[in-house]
Each structure stands twice: as structure tokens, then as C-alpha cells.
Amino acid sequence: MIRRNVQLPPEHIYPIDDWRIVERRFSMRYLEHNETIFAIGNGYLGMRGNLEDGRPIAQSGTYINGFYESWPITYAEEAYGFAKTGQTMLNVTDGKIIRLYVDDEPLFLPTATLLSYERALDMAAGTLDRELVWEMPSGKLVKVASRRLASFRHRHLAAISYQVTVMNADAPVVVSSELITPENNQSKRLGDPRAATGLSHSVFEPKLSFARDRRIGLGYVTANSRMSLAVSAEHVLETASTWRVMSESDDYTAKTVFSVDAEAGQPITLIKYLSYHKSRTEQAPELSARSDRTLNRAADAGFDHLIDSQRTYMDEFWRRSDVVLRDGDPRVQQCVRFNLFHILQAAGRAEGSGIPAKGLTGPAYDGHYFWDIEIYILPFLIYTSPRIARNLLKFRYGQLDAARARARQVNQKGALFPWRTINGEEASAYFAAGTAQYHINADVVYALKKYVEVTGDEDFLFEFGAEILVETARFWADLGAYPNGNDSSFHIHGVTGPDEYTAIVNDNAYTNLMARSNLRYATEIVDRLAREDEHRFAALVHATGLTREEIEEWRGAADRMHVPYDEALGVHPQDSSFLDKPAWDFENTPSDHYPLFMFYHPLVIYRHRVIKQSDVVLAMFLLGEEFSLQSKRRNFDYYSPLTTWDSSLSVSIQSIAAWELDYRDMANEFFRYTALMDLADVGGNVKDGVHVASLGGTWMAVVYGLAGMRDYGGALSFDPRSADDTVVKFPLIVRGQEMEVAIEGPTVTYLLRRGSGLTIRHRDEAIELAEGEPVARPTSLIDESQGERDAASKEA
Amino acid sequence: MIRRNVQLPPEHIYPIDDWRIVERRFSMRYLEHNETIFAIGNGYLGMRGNLEDGRPIAQSGTYINGFYESWPITYAEEAYGFAKTGQTMLNVTDGKIIRLYVDDEPLFLPTATLLSYERALDMAAGTLDRELVWEMPSGKLVKVASRRLASFRHRHLAAISYQVTVMNADAPVVVSSELITPENNQSKRLGDPRAATGLSHSVFEPKLSFARDRRIGLGYVTANSRMSLAVSAEHVLETASTWRVMSESDDYTAKTVFSVDAEAGQPITLIKYLSYHKSRTEQAPELSARSDRTLNRAADAGFDHLIDSQRTYMDEFWRRSDVVLRDGDPRVQQCVRFNLFHILQAAGRAEGSGIPAKGLTGPAYDGHYFWDIEIYILPFLIYTSPRIARNLLKFRYGQLDAARARARQVNQKGALFPWRTINGEEASAYFAAGTAQYHINADVVYALKKYVEVTGDEDFLFEFGAEILVETARFWADLGAYPNGNDSSFHIHGVTGPDEYTAIVNDNAYTNLMARSNLRYATEIVDRLAREDEHRFAALVHATGLTREEIEEWRGAADRMHVPYDEALGVHPQDSSFLDKPAWDFENTPSDHYPLFMFYHPLVIYRHRVIKQSDVVLAMFLLGEEFSLQSKRRNFDYYSPLTTWDSSLSVSIQSIAAWELDYRDMANEFFRYTALMDLADVGGNVKDGVHVASLGGTWMAVVYGLAGMRDYGGALSFDPRSADDTVVKFPLIVRGQEMEVAIEGPTVTYLLRRGSGLTIRHRDEAIELAEGEPVARPTSLIDESQGERDAASKEA
């Protein structure tokens, strides 16, 4: 089915293990790949899975969410309103490095003789662990065991415990713990538009450097964006052997070096506490003082305490979020946990920042925030970590002023959120697939609406959301038009939908549908405010200059929104000219010419009826209540053969849609691609970071797909699919109450774990859930073969 | 009528003079403007009208056609097939500078007391002359008279005579003649996409520098493009006073300084001969040797000889090309001559190069070659200087291999000429308004066809043209498609037409019509070759891999080409979605917001029904035989109110179309804008160079507009319009014969000046012209008021 560029179904290389991702053997081949997979982070601070040994390193990566350098975008041909400020998430001071020398020989894995080796990402503990035994040419056996974490309790804090034991002899052991600042942030682009932009200037201006006893620290300000950073490390060494310590630092590096006269069998344990503080307003010395306090507190409490608090945080997370999934292949369970874990690592303590498209695991897409947050990640967080969801929506609200300014820059009223950004300014240098994706506005509102409906957090809605609603609705009303006197429909011209293989079209169905939803929700909420809360309504009018006439304008635009529909085909064309285009010649496209955008000029792709991901299928999911099942089937059958799946964002949605239409084989196959996107490196670029949209898509594919959950207007319903051996369990938090859905073979059980009572639907039946009283119902087991045959015949 | 951004009809500031453009008073306000207006050039070498005095200079400019630096285009977001190599015509060594010091005081016009001043571009002589009398604070009167030319006889040669006379006293006079190489080519862009790209690297690598007696010279190679240049100057001084000379040079400059003990009233005359040689393959020393020979020959013959040969060349040019035009305002005659003169200055000795969009008068558009050559300039040259026309077509042929490579880069068969280039590689960094203007292919073929039809030069057609025809036809057949089984029309998707306020559309009417013409001509010529010249046909097959099947494919595509037509409006929509767009809100567009592209994001402009220049009106002119007069009127009436005239390319075509429809006031008004484009600085940017398309458009507006000439398929016909006081005369060379058209009030007279006999049409009447036998006929004097009223009412 996903026949474009992949011949075989995806498989990953890791041993089966429900809670861990394990590397059993060190291999250069997977070095860069595993730097991403074994990355740890807490949403504030991210560290790629680089070896402590300092070498070999494919791509060193240490990121602070929202810590970026800006640069002027230069265009060989410029035009009015083009985005001006490039932004690149910075690879900051590397604190992971702990070099080991035994008998003055360095540990270097590619050439070392390893009697044993294991590296494991422990998703229950929230740590990255490594253990190895190194046989030196001299016959000395050296055991090294390390554990690394980015603390969820203390977002500025990371820590590494590093234990060395020379097992069978005495030996001089040197452990050199370092801080290394990359002097520039040059990464190569190599023609892949998804890669990061290389910065050619010197980014970090040194402001502070110290080495005091076992504490070292560095501080910087960035050259253009003028953001300050302080990073410090504290060291605690425990060993029965005698040792000496020396610390030193210069502008870009600092190190604390322990020289130990190691006695045979006596472990040497180094704990390295790392603190990162950043600020846009405070200077390096103040941030360094903050780092000192962070380190003092951490060292006082000790590493075990950190491990315990991490475990407690993880337990709580999994209690709220874990998806148990058994459907034959045990790898899938592992993948699902990995994906949810990496969402947490990207979002957990983001607090004031967004979620980069690669989390904090790699430099691709320059660390920019896209719609992935709202459409792919927030559904999971809304239902499992509503506080984190709220933080992310608050982050968007924080960029509303920049969005207002951007709307002015592109000659529109209201606000236009940037297609890609870190600091709120549009950072896309290719407007046809950037600025033109105006749908971002409606995507933000879609997530806001879902958040409010699921959590019931109307305070947030009225305090922050309403302003977003007014400015986005105002934008749509201004962007669209009633182009002809004799056509009373509202049209939106010159936009790009989510499918980036089509650009700058008129009446993109996705955009029009989502804009309508945006306009309607804005109208509804503003109406309610005017009716129910005079004071807040007045404040909103004050903040936005809202007028009654505008609200009527929005109502009119929503009511008269044009939605393209082709009677003959019975499908919603992706846009007004989509059906007129010549078909892509899949027959004569070599299988190594995918993704197409790496092999064909945009004009060639735009010219043809070929899509990267289906806009209409996505709209059918997000706004499913606006489509009949029959219409969904026709659209799905029409678009699937035209889709290349060149986007990692497409497969989860395709799986959900296939579940709804009972195309089960297809649903399962697409789900595999979604779930294994990173672990099996489906896109061949996991080395540059995980695909966060796909992480969130995995949860959606289980919950909205297999379990058939729908929540239009906040009304929760389920229509689970299952085979005889299916086991799926997941919790949900709905308006503060905690429920659980458990599918086991032909039965689904709904349980309100905690709460005062919740109404849900199982297909057409309303069920009142009471705390602690499970309700069981049969799942859907209808004949699926007909649907599959239908689809197959249409594609043939 | 041209109401968008101009309140008053254009006027220029120069005194009326049929053959000269005169500056009567030095003014800083017009310094930069006049550097363009008073530029001299011969198509190979161009020099802006910078003062000899060295200061003040707004934009120094010395250009060698085709001498450029290349640079890698960097994109903040790149995609497959984007143009990679930027090219910038270089501002090379300035040889114009002759500094004057009297009593060690420099001549500096802004503060000098000038008793008299005149600078004149003499279009009959082909020289730039200046004469002034400077009253020094000491009371000394200094007369300075200079004359400058870029020789049409010797393309590498320029010369300046510079005469100084201290009229009323003895005084030490120093004349310092210099060569100054700009160390970098940094020009500011300031957000105007029409401006030049600044080069930030050091472009010129010094290779040679000498100062021998009164000869000085410099030589360079460019850093990236590896082109070599040698420039040398020879000096001859004549005076009765005593003098000394000293020459010196370093890497970037050289000078010869004459120190004269000037006696009162004794003129000092310096002749400076300048030679520029460039090469892609030869090195600076060889080029310097060539310069030496050029200078030796020039100095031997003397300056007067140069002046004489320039005059002879100009006489011959004007005999072939002059347009006599009296229609009330004598300025128009002056403008027309200025425009034709500047075409000659841009094209005369280009030989192997094209014509930059600003000629050799300024840096704008980076000195790139566009379709302006084929659509705007070649008609004039074909009818007046067929050899120059042939050279320009030969130049395109010379870039056919690069065009083949470019087609591969954008995944197409055949050849795709670059939208903008110097060296043949696509240099447009904004593909939506660059590469997507595929119509360039058909424009080249259009000019080729006209050249062959008018000159009868079938040797050129078969030797060079046929290969262009095959590769362009092949391109169109591959680009377009029969998108639907039930639609047997040939469609072309995803292109941009000449109107740059609309981009990446389907079935652009201009493109489809021109592509059809291209396909038909290719089919016709290839058929003929196959029939008539087996040998040449075999050679063509060998060169292009042409197959019989392809020819049928072209025939089919041409026959079934879709041409958008709207029954309800009775107009040809510019493209398939043009009519669906909302109208531009002209009412609320401030008059200082034109040109729109300087004030609105491209998406805003693309989204609306607003055009920069009308594609359809242009097609109606180029392919007029394919439209009925009624259809032309409907199209014209429909598009005119939607046009901003933001393009300097639009007004000439609009004038021609208006003449055909007998909208005479409008035709005259647009003609004024065309003719005065540069002298009246209609666009406000003449400081950056003349608008060559508008220069050629002026000739077309007279010949095709007022005189109603048509030449479809090579059949020449006339339907002149005139008022009682109209006087228009112009010569034409048709298949080697020379004819003249003279309109005087209500009468037009056709005369075959030289030739064996020519058949023309006067409206419906065929006339056989015999040498020396004038034929007189009445012009069209139909009532024009109805048409104007029609148009006015439609626009209201």
C-alpha cells in the first residue's frame, strides 16, 4: 500500500523490551541514528545521545528550548513582506562529556575490545544508562557504568553518574569532565530543505568563565539575538582510592579533571550535576548565580534523590498516559511507549516555549515550531497532561502580538501566526510553502477549542483564548472575499494547504473548512461573552477593538463559506483547480525518486495531481462531523492513490481514516509506519531528530483510530475496532475526571477511575459512567473484507 | 487613464532639440538621473554619464556587455532545481576620469561658479559633449570643453578629448587622467527587487598593471567567473605651453598626470584613448597586448578620424532607422530619437552578447538578459538593422546547450531558455516569477520567426533556428498534457505569464497561444526541411535526436491547445482561475502604493484580479491574426481597468492595441508614457538605467500602432491612423529592400527606396511597390469618439 518508496514494511533494530530501548553492541553505522534515539530531555533542556567519551560523535547536540540565534534572511530576489529574520535553535555548551583514561589510554569505543556493552533508554525511569566492560591490550578489565537524566522536577538540571572500576589491577585513572561550547553552529545543509541552516558567524560571545574547586561554569550572550546563557557543572567523587582534582576554564571550555590511583576492584563514582539557565533579559552573571543555586540544591539532595524524583514523575506520567497495546507484534508496544516518552521529553517542561518539529533531539528544521504542536501533539497532551497543553496554548498566546504585526506585514487585518518560528516572527524563507499556509491560524484555534471542550477550562478561554479568536476570525474575514456579485459564497484565494505538493491555490478545502470552524467558534464565544460576562466582553473590546459589525461579518463568512465539491466524482476537490491537473506519472517515477521534493522542481510537483499528504482526509478527521461516512469513503478512495506519503505527518491520519472506514489492513499498515517512524527510521533522517508530529500521531492512531474515539463539540464517543487478540488500554482525563478505555478482544470496557460521573457514547448508546463501575460493551467486528476490496479495485 | 500612480502626464526637463539632449545647468538633483540619460555605449562597452571631474558621482558605471561575476545563490529554504548561479554584470575600471586642477584648485561643479555650462548628448554625432566656463575665486576664467564617445567602428575603443583654456591669466594647470577599478561591486539593494545584487567579495584579482610614458594599463581576472579583462589608456597632449608628464600605476589604479604651465588663452588639449578587451579564455597579458594594438591604431588615426567615422556610422544608422514624428509636441520627436539612439548604444556591437534590461547604462537587474530582447527590441532591429538582429538570435542559439541542461534541471525534455541570465544559466532566484515564465521559449521562437519572415534569411533558420525549434517544441509537448481522458484538449499547468501580478497558474492564455505558435512553426519548418533538404534534415536529426512521432505529437498538441475563453464575458481569461478572483480594491489603494509590488506581499497581489501588464492584450498584438477585432475590443475593455501599468513593458503594447481599436486619445496617452519613460523618468528609477523594452516599444508603438503595420506570416500591411497635423516617416528593410512609409495628415505614401519590387497591403488593397515610385493613399480618419466613450463607460 505505501508503495511509493518503501518496498518492505518497517522494522526496527532494537531487542523487544516493553520499557526500554536497548543497544546491545556499539556500531558506527548507527552512531548518528542512535544519537537521536537515545536523546534525553525534559522539554526545557535536550541532550542528544552522544557518548560521554567525547569521541566518536556524529552530531553533538545540546539544546535549550527557545534558545536561538537570529540572522537576517537574504534573498537573491526579494519582495515586499518576505520574512526577514531567520532563527536557529542553538547547539549550546556540551556538558555530557566525561573522558576516561586508564593508564593514560583513552576509552574509544570503535577500537576498544568490549567484553560486554549495553546502552538503554529506560522509559520507566526516565534515564539513559550505559554499562560496558573494556578489555585493555594490557589485559586490564575496566567496567564503566553511567546513567544520565534531564530532570523533569528541576527543568534546569541534568545529571550524570559515571562509575569506573578497574576490575583486575591497580591503574592510574583519569576522569575528565568537560564543558565544551561549539565555537560556531555550522551544520551542512546539503540541499535538503528539512535540514538546519548553518550559521557562519561566531554566535557565542563569552561573558563568563570560571573553575572553582570542583565547580566549573561558562556564560555567553548570542551575537544577534542577545540571549544569555549560563551553564555550570558541579562534581562529586566517591571512591576508596586516593585522588586529586584540578579545574580550569577558558572562554569556550571548562573542565574538572580527577586523577585517581585506582585500586583493583574499587569503584570510582563521579556525579556530574549540570545546570543550564537562559534568559532574554538577564545577563550571564545573574544566570550563573541561578545555576549555582540549582547545583547546590541538587548536590545536597544527591543523585539517588534525583533518580527517585524522576521515577516518581515518570510513574505519574505513565499512569496518566500509558497506552497498553498488544496486537501480535510486541515491537509495537515498545514503539508506542517510545513515542509517548519522546513527546514528554519534548514538551514536559517547555513552559513558555513551544515544541520544535524535532523536539530537542536534533537540529533539523532549525528547531522551529510548526502546526505540529496544535494538530499532532496537543490532542494527546489535552487528554493526559492538560497542564502541559495549557502551557503550550499560553505560549501561542504569548506570540499573538508578533502575529498581529505579521498580519500587517502581509497586508491583512487581525493576526497571522507564523508558519515556522521560535520567537514569534515568521521564519519561513519560502512563502509558497510557508506564509501561504494561513491554515496555521485555524489550527491554533482548533486546538484551543479542543482544549477548552475537554478540560472545561473556560477561564483560559476567556482570559487568553478569546483574544486569539477575535484576531484570527478578523484575519479570515479580511483574507477571503465574495469575489463576484452573482456568487454569494465566501472564497479564500491564494493559499497553501497542509499538502505541500500543491501551492498557492484558490479555495483549498482544508483551509476553508478550518477557517469556517475558526469563524464559528469565534462568533460563538464572543456572543457568549457579550451575553454572559459584560466586564470581560468590555475588556476584550478594549484589547482588540472588536465591533458588533465584525461579528456579523464573521457569521456571514462562515455561513457562506465555499467548500469545493465535485458532483461527478462525489469528492471534495483539494482546491478549485486540483481536478484539472494532469495525473502524476507514478508508473515512470523511479522508486529512488522519493520523496519527490528531493528530485523534482516544485513547479513540476505543483503542476500535477500528486500529494504529499491529503488535506481532505485530514479535514475529514478533524472536522469529521461535517462529512457523511459515504463522503469520507469517496474522498479517501480518491486521494489515497494520489498520495506519496512523503510527509511523516500523513500516515497517522491515514490510519485513523482507514479505521473509520473499516479498511483494517490499511489502517494497521499505516499505523505501523506511524509507530515505527523513528525507531525504524522510515524517512531515513532520524539522525537529524525525532518526528514529533508522528509521535503524537501514534497516540491519535490508537485512540481515534483503533478505539474509534470522537470528541466533536466535546461530546465523547467510542466505536472501537478489534480483532480477537487485540489488547488496548489507555487512560483519558476529561474535565478533571480520569477514565480508562480497555479493549480486550471483542469487548471494550469503560471505567471511570476517578470523578463524579461522565457521560460518554458507545456508538449510538449513551453511557453514564460512575466512579469505579466498569461498563463493558462489544467492539466492532463487522466484515472488513468488502471495504478493502473496494479500495483495492479503485486503486488498481 | 493611467490613473494608478501618476497624476499628471509625463514631461521631461530637457530643452526641445530634435537631435540633442541638453543639460543647461548643473544640478545635484538630477546628477544620478543624468548619469543614465547621458550614458554612452556601443553595445560592447558602456559608460554612464559620470563627470570627468571624478566628483561628484552618484553611481559610477563602466560596463562590458557579458562581463560578469558569478556567485552561488543561497536560499534560506532551498528546493530541488532552484537556480544555483547568480550573475552580476560588473562595474569595471573607470576610464572616464580626467581631473582638472588650476592653481592647485580642483574643478568641482557643485561649488564652482559657472559662467556657462552645457552638456549635450549628440544623437546625430554619437558623442557626449560638455562645455563650461569656470570663474575661479581669484577671477581666473577657465574654459573646459570635452567630447566623449564609445566607438561604433571599433567596439573596444572609447575616447575623450578634453580641452582646457585659462582664458585671462597664466596658471599652473594639472590634468590627471586616471583608471580606477572599483575594489568591490557593492551596490545597495534597499528592498527593490529591480535593483542590482551587491557583491560582497573582492571580485577583481589584479593580474597586470603598468605605466609606460603616456600609456597606462590594468588587467584582472574575476574571482569566481574567471573572466579576464584588460583596460589601457593612451594619451596625446597638444598645447603651446610647456608641460611635463608622469605616469604611475598600482594594482587597482593607474594615472597619467600632465602638469602644464598654461599661458593665458592657450588651449591645452588632451586626447585620451581607452581600450577594453575581455575574454573567458585568454589571460590579461594577451588582452593587454590587444589593447595596445587598439590604442596604437586609434592614436595613429587621431581623434578627428574617430569622430568622423562615428558620424558616418550614425548617419547610416539614422538613414536606416530614423522615425520622423510630429504630432504637436516637439518633445516627442526628441524622445523617439533618444530611445532609438539608446537601443543602438545597447545593441550595436553586442556581437555574442545579449541586451541587458538596462542596456549598458546602469546596474539594475544585474545586467541580465530577459525576453525584452526578443519581444521588444528585435522587431525594430529586424526592420532596420537585420545584421544586429541576427547577432542577437545567434547569441540565443549559443546558449541552447545551457537551455537543454536547464530543462533537465527542471525535469523537462527539450530546452528551456533562462528567464534571466548572462551566461546562459538561469539566474532567477524567485522561480514563481522566473523559471515559471516558460513563455520565454516561445518568445525566442516568435522573434526567430519574425526575423526569418522579414529578412528571408532561411540559411540562419536552417543552420541555427531549426535546432531551437525542435528543442522548444519538444519542451512544450513535454510540459503540457491531456489531463483528463474525457477532455481532448492540451493544457499547460503551473506557469507564470508575462503579467507578474499573477503566478503559477493553469492555462495561461498568453503561454498557451505562444506555445501553439511555437509548436506550429517548429512543425512547419521541420516538415519543410524533411521535404526539401534531406541532408540538413539528417543533420538536425543527428543534432537533436528528432523522431517523426515527435513531430506528430507537436502537431497534435498545437491543434488541441486549450485557449481559455469565457462565453459570458466574451473575453479570453488570462488563465483558468483569473475570473474567479476577487477584484483589487483600487478605490482604497493609496496613490503612493504603486508599484504594488513595493507595498504588498506577493500573495496579496496574486490573490486578486489585478495585473501589472496584460498578457492577453500582448498576445492580441503578437498573434493578432488569431483574434477578431470584436474579440480584441472586448479583451482590451476588460483588462484595461484591471491593469496597474506597474510594468514599463505594458504601455507600448497598450498603445498599439488602442490604436487598432481606434481609442486614439488612449493610444496617444500611452504612447507618451512609452516615449517619455526614461527622459521623463516615469518609473522614478531611470537613475539605475534606461528601460530597453520601452525603447523598443516606442518604435513599435509608432510603426505597429500609429502606422497600423502588421506582418503576420511575413505579409506586410498598413492601416495608418492620423490627425490632420500628423507627420510620421520611417524606413523599413524588408527582405533586403528598403522602403519608407510617410504619413502626412490624411495621406500615407509608400516608397520603395531601393529594391526589386515589394508587395504590401494598404488595408485591404494589395500594392506593388516599384523602386522610386511612391504610392499615396488616404489614412484612417474614422470617428473615434464612440470607441472612447465605450471604454470610458465600461471602466466607470
Side-chain angles (χ1 to χ4, degrees), chain A residues 154 157 215 273 277 290-302 305:
Chain A
H154 310 286
L157 189 68
R215 185 167 296 188
Y273 300 97
H277 280 265
R290 293 182 191 176
S291 277
D292 276 340
R293 292 194 291 271
T294 301
L295 293 177
N296 293 344
R297 224 176 5 247
D300 285 353
H305 178 78

Side-chain angles (χ1 to χ4, degrees), chain A residues 71 73-82 189 193 197 406 410-412 420 427-431 435-436 438 479 481 483-484 493-494 504 506 577 579-582 597-604 606-607 609, chain B residues 71 73-82 189 193 197 406 410-412 420 427-431 435-436 438 479 481 483-484 493-494 504 506 577 579-582 597-604 606-607 609:
Chain A
W71 41 276
I73 304 176
T74 54
Y75 298 90
E77 281 179 68
E78 175 135 21
Y80 182 88
F82 275 12
R189 178 172 278 273
T197 306
R406 181 60 184 158
V410 296
N411 315 102
Q412 302 294 351
R420 54 191 297 174
S428 171
Y430 179 48
F431 74 85
T435 298
Y438 297 113
L479 184 70
N484 294 304
H493 287 79
I504 314 184
N506 301 330
S577 64
L579 298 181
D580 302 332
K581 295 181 182 180
F597 67 82
M598 295 289 284
F599 300 91
Y600 296 90
H601 192 284
L603 282 166
V604 178
Y606 296 167
R607 182 177 299 125
R609 210 158 59 229
Chain B
W71 41 276
I73 304 176
T74 54
Y75 299 89
E77 281 179 69
E78 175 133 21
Y80 181 88
F82 275 13
R189 179 173 276 275
T197 306
R406 180 61 184 157
V410 296
N411 314 102
Q412 302 295 348
R420 53 190 299 174
S428 171
Y430 179 49
F431 75 84
T435 297
Y438 298 112
L479 183 70
N484 295 306
H493 288 78
I504 313 185
N506 300 332
S577 64
L579 299 180
D580 302 332
K581 295 181 181 180
F597 66 83
M598 295 289 286
F599 300 92
Y600 297 90
H601 192 283
L603 281 166
V604 178
Y606 295 167
R607 182 176 300 125
R609 210 160 59 230

Side-chain angles (χ1 to χ4, degrees), chain B residues 132-358:
Chain B
L132 62 87
V133 175
W134 169 27
E135 185 188 42
M136 300 183 69
S138 63
K140 289 185 186 173
L141 297 177
V142 183
K143 183 176 165 189
V144 179
S146 70
R147 168 164 287 188
R148 183 192 290 184
L149 63 82
S151 172
F152 283 107
R153 286 280 172 230
H154 310 287
R155 64 202 287 252
H156 302 282
L157 190 69
I160 306 171
S161 82
Y162 191 90
Q163 188 178 65
V164 187
T165 314
V166 186
M167 297 162 71
N168 57 352
D170 293 353
V173 168
V174 172
V175 179
S176 173
S177 167
E178 310 186 358
L179 299 177
I180 299 182
T181 308
E183 291 193 41
N184 65 40
N185 264 265
Q186 190 96 42
S187 27
K188 287 197 203 95
R189 179 173 276 275
L190 297 173
D192 186 338
R194 299 165 297 184
T197 306
L199 296 174
S200 52
H201 67 284
S202 187
V203 171
F204 298 106
E205 295 177 5
K207 287 290 171 187
L208 182 153
S209 164
F210 70 85
R212 298 189 302 258
D213 192 15
R214 276 159 293 181
R215 184 167 298 188
I216 50 180
L218 300 167
Y220 307 95
V221 66
T222 54
N224 298 336
S225 63
R226 307 313 287 174
M227 297 186 80
S228 294
L229 175 76
V231 49
S232 306
E234 171 69 4
H235 301 88
V236 176
L237 190 83
E238 288 178 17
T239 180
S241 305
T242 59
W243 54 277
R244 295 168 307 286
V245 63
M246 190 208 65
S247 293
E248 61 183 41
S249 73
D250 61 24
D251 277 356
Y252 292 100
T253 64
K255 57 183 163 185
T256 297
V257 182
F258 295 92
S259 302
V260 186
D261 302 322
E263 292 164 36
Q266 286 292 351
I268 303 158
T269 307
L270 172 67
I271 311 292
K272 179 180 194 175
Y273 299 98
L274 279 160
S275 170
Y276 289 83
H277 280 265
K278 69 150 193 216
S279 175
R280 182 178 289 281
T281 50
E282 299 292 345
Q283 311 291 307
E286 160 64 14
L287 301 178
S288 191
R290 292 180 190 177
S291 277
D292 276 341
R293 293 195 290 273
T294 302
L295 293 177
N296 292 345
R297 226 178 3 251
D300 284 352
F303 189 73
D304 289 346
H305 177 78
L306 260 185
I307 291 290
D308 289 347
S309 72
Q310 186 85 338
R311 168 74 72 168
T312 309
Y313 187 97
M314 292 311 305
D315 286 349
E316 178 56 26
F317 170 72
W318 289 118
R319 198 184 62 70
R320 293 195 313 268
S321 321
D322 187 30
V323 173
V324 172
L325 178 64
R326 312 236 177 269
D327 78 335
D329 183 352
R331 273 168 220 271
V332 171
Q333 171 70 75
Q334 186 178 14
C335 292
V336 169
R337 290 226 171 90
F338 174 83
N339 291 357
L340 301 185
F341 179 65
H342 261 293
I343 295 178
L344 181 70
Q345 294 210 122
R349 302 297 308 272
E351 298 171 18
S353 299
I355 307 175
K358 301 284 175 180

Side-chain angles (χ1 to χ4, degrees), chain B residues 461-494:
Chain B
L461 172 64
F462 295 139
E463 180 99 9
F464 306 111
E467 223 176 297
I468 294 177
L469 293 177
V470 168
E471 298 293 10
T472 51
R474 181 175 273 165
F475 176 86
W476 291 118
D478 184 50
L479 183 70
Y482 302 93
N484 295 306
N486 55 356
D487 175 1
S488 64
S489 307
F490 188 79
H491 295 261
I492 301 177
H493 288 78

